[in-house]
Structure formats: structure tokens, C-alpha cells
Amino acid sequence: MRQVTILGAGLVGSLLAIILRKRGYEVTLYERRPDMRSASISAGKSINLATSHRGWKALELAGLKQEMEALAIPMYGRFLHQADGNTAFQPYSKNNEAIYSVSRGELNKKLMTLAEQHGVKIFFEHKCTHVDIPANRLHFELPGKVEKTVQADLLFGADGAFSALRDSYTHLSRVNCDQNYLEYGYKELCILPGKNNEWLMEKNALHIWPRGNYMLIALPNTDGTFTCTLFMPFEGEVSFAKLKTEEDVTAFFDKQFADAKALMPGLLDDFFTNPTSALVTMHINKWHYQDKSALIGDAAHAIVPFYGQGMNAGFEDCTVLSGLMEKASPRPSPKEREVLSKEIADDLDWGWILKEYERLRKPDGDAVADLALNNFIEMRDKVADPKFLERKKIEKELGKRYPDQFVSVYEMVSFSHTPYSTAIQCVQAQDKLLKRIMDAGDFFMNMEKGSFGNTLGTWITEYHNEVQQLDFGNEA
Amino acid sequence: MRQVTILGAGLVGSLLAIILRKRGYEVTLYERRPDMRSASISAGKSINLATSHRGWKALELAGLKQEMEALAIPMYGRFLHQADGNTAFQPYSKNNEAIYSVSRGELNKKLMTLAEQHGVKIFFEHKCTHVDIPANRLHFELPGKVEKTVQADLLFGADGAFSALRDSYTHLSRVNCDQNYLEYGYKELCILPGKNNEWLMEKNALHIWPRGNYMLIALPNTDGTFTCTLFMPFEGEVSFAKLKTEEDVTAFFDKQFADAKALMPGLLDDFFTNPTSALVTMHINKWHYQDKSALIGDAAHAIVPFYGQGMNAGFEDCTVLSGLMEKASPRPSPKEREVLSKEIADDLDWGWILKEYERLRKPDGDAVADLALNNFIEMRDKVADPKFLERKKIEKELGKRYPDQFVSVYEMVSFSHTPYSTAIQCVQAQDKLLKRIMDAGDFFMNMEKGSFGNTLGTWITEYHNEVQQLDFGNEA
């Protein structure tokens, strides 16, 4: 069997290592950073994870679901903190489904330890500078500027948005790619627990302080704290650039997030110690090279965090890859064996697996990037748009009246395994339906007067028929 | 004064070196390839240059116009070779203006020699692997894998589409960029001269064999040869992938380009020796870093060759930079002098120059990329579209009837110094006007019947007024 090398011992790299190890592969992981389990390197750049169905499925596949549940707190909806001090709770689903708050650091540590227990070897402080793609040779820089090269056999780049493997792919001929930063940044902050380590806000919710073009969110941790994230423009009237002094920060939080601030005794320290990080979307149209290497997770599809799907999408990559390993022809024909090396002949047809993986998964990578970006644009531009607010009301009403036909895309993304690319097509079908309805005038008045006649029913049926034609994967 | 380092001794790098040297700067050039004047390295990747107004202006600025004219052959129009054997000549301009065919290699050699004569030092076989942007430190790889670092003071990246400086900029935080390859490739071929080195086709024209989604072009050289370029999809029904054997190529050229083939005794050799090259468009939203470095030419705005503006745009970058040096405040105030090093204090305010250069020039870089891509799309998709052909006819007629109002964008781009970004806005205004006209039915019949009344005149006036509002730079 072939030797597997994985770049990046983050969430996706560690999980992939376990999945491959369980299938009998020897796996070596190379990680840029020191071992986060011994070194205390709180970079203060974390956004808590919201694990949903896709994430859980991959964890279950790796046999880790139970262990991970111990680290996770269910969040059944959004808990809104309005500017006027009012609060409101909005459930995520009609069926009491939840997304799960998990500390990125804790989950990552656990996955690393489990990988090692399964026999995966992890090298830390190995910064990959570039990969010779045709030769599959990795170049590393170790502490003290020591250089090292490693010959890979079957290589996965799970090394995140700034992947060295991705970067090396972009230098191959005819590879299209782009990177696009938002004009928004984010900063990690922290809400502390009470005296007995109890949660000082509702524990089972994702807290949001929406303020138009900026917002604060908070996700619960098992130790009673909440990991908070402030999203805000880098520059402009209300921006990170404007919050220069302790007085600026104090005044801003007093005015905008008074209830949160009361629970943040370390606010000023956090604010001026933690970095302001950037948010990027990246595309690349090459996800694999022959039977030699492939990108996975953020390395293949770095997205912005506004749908809570970054880790879920990366974990689903692992599920897809695992499914293809099931399907792959187990052994080449005797004729093929003659020209193949023993390692390759004795293994699955990885040329086919990696090619299929790219073909199947690239459209979903593009789709989840668009979904995440759309959510950002809604948040930034549309929350103050009366047309948009009216549309949201109509959508809610349609969901109530036609629960079987008008399915929430949020629920499809978070609580099903429907391909992301299908979810995007549902969004488009809903856009068309909603345009019809809104072009016909005041929806609620029309409903009341009964002046829709059967028209609305016909439209819903047409919409539903269109959606039924889509590819819902194995769940259809 | 500051020391100037330029990456790339191509056309733009060499010209920029001369312009800066003439202003008294010490300039050092680093070039990846061996010296093309001694080594015989015909890469067979050249597309002949079509120098137009913008190119000449920069050459004149550097005092090189006369020397360059000796290398250039005027082309007054397109000479079309139709599939049915018919030919036609289409002049580029009403005023007998020409674009000039120049051999890229010859021009480059000449510019290098002139640069050296002016005291510019050129290092060859210095491949820049990356640049430490904040430190302005260049890392080179020399033959034999020898490594070398160079400290730059004021750095320009004129190192083409795959610029090492550009690549290093893309790794800075919040830099947006993209690269997009066409599905088309190109291959250099050659038409030989007659027995007395005479041109065997019309000398003063750009020859085109348009064939729908592929084409051959030929530009004259001073030695009686024509440099030909075949543009064709990489894959598909008619494609490079389909021309595998000598028989394939012979049959294809016999059928499609019989008259050209008769003048290409070396066709098969050329076809199988010369590479099939790719065509890329690149954008990046960071063109300079503080007062330390900047991108210029293809490194800032790599474009496809279908408008013949690649070199012209790069040379115009030099003109713009030179203009800004004229405008820049010559010396800092006494107060500024106290905090600046002598080298910086004794020089122009390069922080301002580079910032202004990016601000002024980036929109034009984007515009020329769009113009070039539009021409490709027209060629690929629209030549067989009756609507498009009708539109072209109407445009021609409008140019005749309203010569002062309805100016050809091609002429604006090729025979004026109007900013590219203004040319693109003219395209948009023309699109609007043509839509109006075509929506009103059969243009020529309406003209004949006089049923436009004064409408057409009014529309033209409105169009003209709109265009008059645009920024035509110094030429307005």
C-alpha cells in the first residue's frame, strides 16, 4: 500500500489521518506550528466551531462521535441582543435540531491525540515552503532556518487557506485561481463564567448582537466561558481603525454591547492583545495532481465564516473521499500490475479516486463559498433594507403554510447531507418564487383578502417540482 | 539619490531602466534568462509586437524613437484571408494611421544594449525566487542552484506575468488577486522570404486567417520573414490536442491555410519543435509597497494579446511614472529632512509617486485587460452571430455618417493616448446607442425610408454628449 503524507495537523488533516489509518495506511503528518498540546500558544484568532450534520457524519465515520460529544454544547437557535436592550430567541429548526459549539483548540488537540493513538506520526514545527508537484517532493523550513526535504508518495494538502500545496499548484500551467478578502476583520474576545463556573448567559444558543454593518457573536464553551467574535470593517466610520485607545473601546462597548461588556472583565486586554484577523475566500480549479496529491478542506475552498460551514465542509470532504475509497476498484488488472510499482498495484486506484473527488466535490466547494459570502452580504447590506425584511417575513410564512414544499435552505445546509451545490440551486428557485410573489403586491394583504386565488398554490407547486428535479445525493 | 533595482530585462524593464538612468539614477537589472544577444535561445514563443501610439510615446520619451523605427514595419490594416480563398484589406484608420510590426527579440536586444550604453548594469541568469517585501530583500537562484540575496532600495518588478514580486505581494495580508487562463493556446510559426529576401505577401499589413474559433495571424519582419501565430483551443473538435501527427498538421493546414502553408517550408519542424503556449489574464489590487517597490508592465496587468496592447500598456506605465516624477515634490521640507535618510531626503518623494502611480494606473490596467478579453470573446463566439455582424455593419455606417461623433474605439486605443478606462466607458456608451438603434428595427431600411426622422440624430447627439463628459486625459 502507498505511504500517505498529510500537510497540516489541523482539524481536517488530523481527521483524514485517522480515517486513512483505520484503512491500514501508514500516515505521517507535518504541522507548521509547535504542538498546541504542550506549548501554550493561544493565538487569540479562534472563532468557535458550529458543528452540524456534515461534521458529525465524518466524526462518526472515524468512530469519534461519542468522544467529541463530550466537547460539544448544543445550540438550538440564535439568541439576539438588540441595540435597544431587547432580546429574542430564534430556533434553528422546526424539529428542535441543534448546531454544536466546539472549541477549535480543544477539538484539534483531541483529534491529534487520537491520531497518534491510532499510530499516526506527527512532526511539528515543519513549515512547508513549497512542493515540487511532479516530483511530489516537499520542502520544509524547521526552526533555526534548517531546511529539510521529504519525498511524498500520496500527498494531501490539509494546510488551510494559505496552503503550500495550493500555492504550488497555482504555479502550474493553466491553473485558474483567485483570492478575495472582505473589507471586514474579526477579533476574538471572551466572556467569563460565574463564580461556580456557571454560564452567565443562555448556554444552549448562539448569541448575536447584530448592529447593521458590524456584529458581535458568542458561542458557549464547556468550561462556562463564551468565545466571542467581533466582526467589523477594517476602515471607515465604525471600524477597527477607529478604536485606537482604551477609551475608544470602552465607550464603543458601553454604547453597543453593554450587556456583553458587563461579562467581559478582560475586554481591554483581549482587544489590544488579540490580533485583528482578515477573512478570505479562495478558489482554485485544480484540486488534485494525477494519483499523487490533492487539496482538502480550506486548502481547496477557503471560505468566510458566516454560514458556520468551514469545518463542516472540510469534514464532508473526508466523507466523500472515504466513500470513493469504498467504490474504487480494489485491484488493477493483471496487465496493469505489470507496469505499476508494487506499492501502487497493491493499493486502490488513487488516480481514479482523486479525479472523482475533484469532479464531485469542486462544485460543492464553490457552492459553500457562495452561501457563506451571501450570508455576509445579507448581514452587511440588507438588514436595513425594507424589501429584504419583507421577503424574510414572507419566507417564514411560506415555511409555516407549506412545510413540505418550502424547506428552509439554512436547515438543508445545517441539518442534512444535501450537496451544497443543490442548496444553492434551491436558493435560486426560491429567489424566482419570491420575486413572483413580491411582484404581485402585498403578500399578507393578498392572503387576507384571498385575492391570490389558487395562484399561490400553483406557484408553490411549480417551485416544488423544480426543486424535486435537483440532485439531493443519497438523501433524496 | 536612491539606488534602483529592476527585476526583468524584458521590454518594459529595459525601457524603464533607460528612463530612470537618464534622470540620474543608478540602475541595476536582474534577468532570469541568459543574455539573448549572445546565447541563441529562440524559444519559439514569440508573438510579434504591434507598436502603436502609446508605445511610440514612451520610446520617444526615452529618446529611442528613431532607432526603433529602423526595426519597425508599418501595418496600415488587416489583410484577411478567407476560407474560400478570397482576400480583403481593412484599413485600421480613416487617416492612414498604422500600427508597427516589431520583432520582440530584436527590440529587446536593442533596448538592453542601449540601457548598458547608458550605464545600466545587467545581471543575467538571476532567477528571483521571492522577495521579502517589508525588508525589500531579493532572493535569487543562479545556475548550479547557487543562492544569492540582494538588498534593494527602490525596486521595480518588470518581470512579467509570472513576476516574483507580484507573487510575493499576493502573500501579504488582504491582497486580492486572480489568474485566469483561456482555454486557447498559441504556437509560433514562420513564413519565409523569397530568393532575394523579399516579402512574399503584402508587407504593410497584419495578415489574418479568421476561421471562427481559431485563427492564424502573420506580422512582417524587416528580414522578409513573417512571424505567424496560430491561436486554437487546447482541446476539442478542432484543437492542438487533435493535431498529433505530421499527417494531421499537413491535412489541417492544406484545408484551412493553403496559401500560408505554401510559404511555410518549415511548418512541420516549427509545429512540433515550438511549444504550445498558454494565455493568461492576471489582476492584483496591490501595485506598490510604501516607497519601496512597485509592479510595472505584465507583472501588474498580464493580458491576452487580442488587442495588440500588451507592450503598449507596459510602455505607457513608464510614461505615467515619468510624468509623476515630473510632478513630484522635488525635496522634502527641512522638517522632513531631519527624519529621513540622506538618500531618501535627496530624492523625489517616491512614496507619493508610487501611490499616485497605482491610483492612476490600476483602472487602466483593468480596462486594457477587459478590452483584450472582449476582443477574444468577439472572435470566439460572435463572428458567426448574425446580430453581431449586423451591429458591426451599423457601426461602420455610423462612423461614415457621423465621423466627429462616432469615433472608433479601436482607433482611440491604438492611435491616441486616451486612458484605457475611458475607452471602456466609450464602449459602454456605444453599446447603449447600438441597442437603441437595433431595438428600433432594420437600421438600413429605416435609413432608406427616412423613417428615423430626427430620432437617430438625437440619439447620436445624446451619445456624443455622454462621451464628451468622460476623462480624455491630456488629449481632451
Side-chain angles (χ1 to χ4, degrees):
Chain A
M1 283 171 85
R2 297 178 67 184
Q3 307 276 324
V4 177
T5 305
I6 300 177
L7 282 175
L11 301 171
V12 173
S14 301
L15 180 68
L16 178 64
I18 294 168
I19 289 172
L20 290 170
R21 191 72 200 97
K22 285 196 151 190
R23 287 180 172 269
Y25 288 90
E26 274 192 40
V27 181
T28 312
L29 272 170
Y30 292 92
E31 167 59 40
R32 186 172 51 82
R33 291 162 295 189
D35 189 344
M36 54 163 74
R37 292 165 300 180
S38 45
S40 170
I41 39 154
S42 170
K45 282 183 63 172
S46 186
I47 303 174
N48 258 34
L49 302 164
T51 311
S52 51
H53 273 41
R54 297 166 207 265
W56 286 117
K57 183 170 174 182
L59 288 169
E60 199 169 5
L61 189 78
L64 307 176
K65 197 177 170 197
Q66 276 188 318
E67 303 208 46
M68 294 308 152
E69 277 172 347
L71 303 176
I73 297 177
M75 303 182 288
Y76 295 96
R78 298 181 193 90
F79 194 104
L80 297 177
H81 302 248
Q82 305 291 4
D84 58 12
N86 286 336
T87 61
F89 180 78
Q90 298 175 339
Y92 283 125
S93 112
K94 297 180 288 286
N95 314 314
N96 209 32
E97 308 229 49
I99 58 176
Y100 291 78
S101 174
V102 181
S103 148
R104 174 182 290 267
E106 292 311 311
L107 177 60
N108 206 151
K109 287 179 195 172
K110 190 88 190 169
L111 285 173
M112 281 181 187
T113 300
L114 288 168
E116 285 178 339
Q117 284 169 1
H118 280 92
V120 172
K121 177 112 192 81
I122 312 182
F123 290 94
F124 293 95
E125 299 188 81
H126 275 62
K127 182 188 168 192
C128 183
T129 53
H130 66 285
V131 182
D132 179 337
I133 303 291
N136 228 1
R137 242 184 131 61
L138 306 166
H139 294 256
F140 290 102
E141 191 181 289
L142 278 58
K145 299 246 163 201
V146 176
E147 292 184 10
K148 175 172 166 182
T149 61
V150 168
Q151 180 63 49
D153 174 10
L154 174 57
L155 171 68
F156 289 94
D159 46 345
F162 303 100
S163 164
L165 184 60
R166 177 194 188 276
D167 199 57
S168 297
Y169 276 179
T170 68
H171 293 104
L172 297 174
S173 186
R174 297 173 62 203
V175 171
N176 296 342
C177 60
D178 59 69
Q179 65 187 39
N180 238 296
Y181 285 85
L182 297 186
E183 66 275 36
Y184 279 57
Y186 71 90
K187 194 182 276 287
E188 182 185 328
L189 301 168
C190 187
I191 283 180
L192 293 186
K195 274 183 194 156
N196 304 310
N197 285 331
E198 75 276 20
W199 292 271
L200 292 179
M201 300 190 302
E202 167 57 45
K203 167 193 172 190
N204 293 116
L206 192 157
H207 294 261
I208 308 188
W209 290 256
R211 295 294 182 269
N213 79 336
Y214 56 95
M215 69 170 173
L216 181 70
I217 65 169
L219 281 81
N221 295 311
T222 48
D223 63 359
T225 62
F226 287 82
T227 300
C228 306
T229 314
L230 174 66
F231 294 97
M232 197 158 63
F234 280 105
E235 276 112 37
E237 211 174 320
V238 180
S239 66
F240 282 111
K242 285 280 160 65
L243 300 180
K244 282 184 191 147
T245 65
E246 299 202 342
E247 290 70 36
D248 295 340
V249 175
T250 304
F252 178 68
F253 273 77
D254 271 340
K255 185 159 178 217
Q256 296 297 342
F257 310 119
D259 56 343
K261 180 169 172 280
L263 311 176
M264 295 172 146
L267 170 64
L268 292 177
D269 247 17
D270 286 349
F271 195 94
F272 291 104
T273 308
N274 292 341
T276 307
S277 304
L279 297 160
V280 70
T281 303
M282 289 188 169
H283 299 93
I284 180 163
N285 73 342
K286 185 168 193 68
W287 282 30
H288 85 288
Y289 183 85
Q290 298 175 0
D291 63 347
K292 294 183 175 174
S293 60
L295 301 173
I296 191 163
D298 282 356
H301 46 74
I303 66 176
V304 295
F306 300 100
Y307 221 115
Q309 285 295 313
M311 176 207 59
N312 290 290
F315 278 13
E316 197 175 51
D317 292 343
C318 296
T319 308
V320 169
L321 209 51
S322 184
L324 288 169
M325 290 171 70
E326 289 290 339
K327 273 198 211 163
S329 50
R331 292 284 180 273
S333 66
K335 203 177 155 194
E336 282 173 309
R337 289 189 78 89
E338 284 172 24
V339 296
L340 294 173
S341 71
K342 190 177 176 318
E343 287 69 27
I344 290 179
D346 280 349
D347 200 349
L348 300 171
D349 182 353
W350 277 98
W352 179 85
I353 294 174
L354 298 185
K355 194 176 166 185
E356 275 296 287
Y357 161 70
E358 175 174 327
R359 188 184 67 80
L360 285 173
R361 196 61 184 154
K362 162 83 173 136
D364 291 324
D366 290 343
V368 72
D370 286 347
L371 286 165
L373 217 45
N374 287 349
N375 260 20
F376 166 72
I377 292 166
E378 279 195 5
M379 175 196 101
R380 185 191 59 186
D381 298 339
K382 297 195 181 161
V383 284
D385 175 355
K387 269 262 173 205
F388 175 75
L389 297 175
E390 190 198 341
R391 180 184 155 144
K392 284 281 148 195
K393 264 196 215 160
I394 299 172
E395 281 178 12
K396 206 170 162 183
E397 185 66 24
L398 291 175
K400 265 192 220 160
R401 284 179 184 260
Y402 305 96
D404 297 330
Q405 288 101 321
F406 196 80
V407 176
S408 142
V409 173
Y410 181 86
E411 293 189 41
M412 188 183 290
V413 168
S414 301
F415 307 127
S416 89
H417 304 288
T418 301
Y420 291 122
S421 48
T422 304
I424 277 269
Q425 288 172 291
C426 287
V427 170
Q428 287 153 1
Q430 288 193 357
D431 283 349
K432 223 165 71 184
L433 173 66
L434 267 291
K435 188 177 180 317
R436 269 185 156 180
I437 292 172
M438 291 176 77
D439 283 352
D442 185 328
F443 172 80
F444 290 97
M445 203 169 70
N446 287 339
M447 289 294 286
E448 212 172 296
K449 289 195 305 184
S451 59
F452 265 128
N454 288 326
T455 317
L456 185 60
T458 310
W459 289 350
I460 296 280
T461 306
E462 283 174 17
Y463 157 79
H464 188 55
N465 287 342
E466 188 181 336
V467 168
Q468 291 281 83
Q469 308 296 316
L470 301 176
D471 173 16
F472 283 84
N474 299 330
E475 284 218 328
Chain B
M1 281 170 85
R2 297 178 66 184
Q3 307 276 324
V4 177
T5 305
I6 300 177
L7 282 176
L11 301 170
V12 173
S14 301
L15 181 68
L16 178 64
I18 295 167
I19 289 173
L20 291 170
R21 191 73 201 95
K22 285 195 151 190
R23 287 181 172 268
Y25 288 90
E26 274 193 40
V27 181
T28 312
L29 270 169
Y30 292 93
E31 167 59 41
R32 186 172 52 82
R33 290 163 296 188
D35 190 344
M36 54 163 73
R37 292 165 301 180
S38 45
S40 169
I41 39 153
S42 169
K45 282 183 63 171
S46 186
I47 303 173
N48 257 36
L49 302 164
T51 312
S52 51
H53 273 40
R54 298 167 206 264
W56 286 118
K57 182 168 175 184
L59 288 169
E60 199 170 4
L61 189 79
L64 307 176
K65 195 177 173 198
Q66 277 188 317
E67 302 209 45
M68 293 309 151
E69 275 170 348
L71 303 176
I73 297 177
M75 302 181 289
Y76 295 96
R78 296 182 194 90
F79 194 103
L80 297 177
H81 302 248
Q82 304 292 4
D84 59 11
N86 286 335
T87 60
F89 180 79
Q90 297 175 340
Y92 282 126
S93 110
K94 297 180 287 284
N95 313 315
N96 209 32
E97 308 228 48
I99 59 176
Y100 291 77
S101 174
V102 181
S103 149
R104 172 183 291 268
E106 292 311 309
L107 177 59
N108 206 150
K109 287 177 194 173
K110 190 88 189 168
L111 286 173
M112 280 181 187
T113 300
L114 288 167
E116 285 178 338
Q117 285 169 1
H118 280 92
V120 172
K121 177 112 193 78
I122 311 183
F123 290 96
F124 293 95
E125 299 186 81
H126 276 60
K127 181 187 168 192
C128 183
T129 53
H130 66 284
V131 183
D132 179 338
I133 304 291
N136 228 3
R137 242 182 133 60
L138 306 166
H139 294 256
F140 291 102
E141 191 182 288
L142 277 59
K145 300 245 163 201
V146 176
E147 292 183 9
K148 175 172 165 182
T149 61
V150 168
Q151 180 63 50
D153 173 10
L154 174 57
L155 171 68
F156 289 95
D159 46 345
F162 304 101
S163 164
L165 184 61
R166 176 193 188 276
D167 200 58
S168 298
Y169 277 179
T170 67
H171 293 105
L172 296 175
S173 186
R174 297 172 64 202
V175 171
N176 295 342
C177 61
D178 59 69
Q179 64 187 41
N180 238 295
Y181 284 85
L182 297 186
E183 67 275 33
Y184 279 57
Y186 72 91
K187 193 182 277 288
E188 181 184 331
L189 301 168
C190 187
I191 282 180
L192 294 185
K195 276 183 190 154
N196 304 310
N197 286 332
E198 76 275 21
W199 291 271
L200 292 179
M201 299 189 304
E202 167 57 46
K203 169 191 171 190
N204 293 115
L206 191 157
H207 294 261
I208 308 188
W209 290 256
R211 296 294 182 268
N213 81 333
Y214 56 97
M215 69 169 172
L216 181 70
I217 66 169
L219 283 81
N221 296 311
T222 49
D223 62 1
T225 61
F226 287 82
T227 300
C228 306
T229 314
L230 174 66
F231 294 96
M232 196 158 63
F234 279 105
E235 275 113 37
E237 212 174 319
V238 181
S239 67
F240 283 111
K242 285 280 159 66
L243 301 180
K244 282 183 191 149
T245 66
E246 299 201 342
E247 290 70 37
D248 295 341
V249 174
T250 304
F252 177 69
F253 273 76
D254 271 339
K255 187 163 175 211
Q256 295 298 343
F257 311 117
D259 57 342
K261 179 169 173 279
L263 310 176
M264 294 173 147
L267 170 64
L268 292 175
D269 248 19
D270 287 351
F271 195 93
F272 291 104
T273 308
N274 292 341
T276 307
S277 304
L279 298 160
V280 69
T281 303
M282 290 186 168
H283 299 92
I284 180 163
N285 73 343
K286 185 168 193 67
W287 282 29
H288 84 287
Y289 184 84
Q290 298 176 1
D291 64 347
K292 293 185 175 173
S293 60
L295 300 173
I296 190 162
D298 282 356
H301 47 73
I303 66 177
V304 294
F306 300 101
Y307 221 116
Q309 285 295 313
M311 176 207 58
N312 290 290
F315 279 11
E316 198 174 51
D317 292 343
C318 296
T319 309
V320 169
L321 210 49
S322 183
L324 288 169
M325 291 172 69
E326 289 290 340
K327 273 199 211 163
S329 48
R331 293 283 180 275
S333 64
K335 200 175 159 199
E336 281 173 309
R337 289 189 78 88
E338 284 171 24
V339 295
L340 295 172
S341 71
K342 189 176 175 319
E343 287 69 28
I344 291 180
D346 278 350
D347 200 347
L348 300 171
D349 182 353
W350 278 98
W352 179 85
I353 294 174
L354 298 184
K355 194 176 167 185
E356 274 296 287
Y357 162 71
E358 175 174 327
R359 188 185 68 79
L360 284 173
R361 196 59 185 155
K362 162 81 173 138
D364 291 325
D366 290 343
V368 73
D370 285 348
L371 287 165
L373 217 45
N374 287 349
N375 260 19
F376 166 73
I377 292 165
E378 280 195 4
M379 177 198 97
R380 186 190 59 186
D381 298 339
K382 297 195 183 158
V383 283
D385 175 356
K387 270 261 173 206
F388 174 75
L389 297 174
E390 191 198 341
R391 180 184 155 144
K392 284 282 147 193
K393 264 196 216 159
I394 299 173
E395 281 178 11
K396 206 171 162 183
E397 186 66 25
L398 291 176
K400 267 193 222 160
R401 286 179 184 259
Y402 305 97
D404 296 332
Q405 289 100 322
F406 195 81
V407 177
S408 142
V409 174
Y410 181 86
E411 293 189 41
M412 189 182 288
V413 169
S414 301
F415 307 126
S416 88
H417 303 287
T418 301
Y420 291 121
S421 48
T422 304
I424 277 269
Q425 289 172 291
C426 286
V427 170
Q428 288 154 1
Q430 289 193 355
D431 284 348
K432 221 164 72 182
L433 173 65
L434 268 290
K435 189 179 179 319
R436 270 185 155 179
I437 292 173
M438 292 176 76
D439 283 351
D442 185 327
F443 172 79
F444 289 96
M445 203 170 69
N446 287 339
M447 289 295 286
E448 213 171 295
K449 289 195 306 187
S451 59
F452 266 128
N454 289 326
T455 318
L456 185 59
T458 311
W459 289 350
I460 297 281
T461 307
E462 283 174 17
Y463 157 79
H464 188 57
N465 288 341
E466 189 180 336
V467 167
Q468 291 279 85
Q469 308 296 316
L470 301 176
D471 173 15
F472 283 82
N474 299 331
E475 286 217 325

